Amino acid sequence: MSEILWQKSSFSGGDPGSACLELARGGADRRFLRESDEMATVLAVDAAALRALLLAVKAGEFDHLA
């Protein structure tokens, strides 16, 4: 298995100590999510589920939880 290449948000500030969400591609339809300060905990989802989550976040569907 090849190494997973994680992508950190450009909004994270770039500080080594700043925690943020990281995404990675893992195979044809597999995507991975993790929080940068909990690197051992990885959530694996299919691309459609991740797309639906990102659209819901952008639409403000979770703003009431903040």
Side-chain angles (χ1 to χ4, degrees), residues 7-28:
Q7 180 179 343
K8 187 180 278 194
S9 170
S10 60
F11 294 102
S12 69
D15 296 327
S18 63
C20 67
L21 186 65
E22 296 179 327
L23 300 172
R25 181 182 302 251

Side-chain angles (χ1 to χ4, degrees), residues 34-47:
R34 72 178 182 185
E35 192 169 342
S36 61
D37 64 346
E38 288 290 333
M39 294 182 174
T41 304
V42 176
L43 176 65
V45 297
D46 64 40

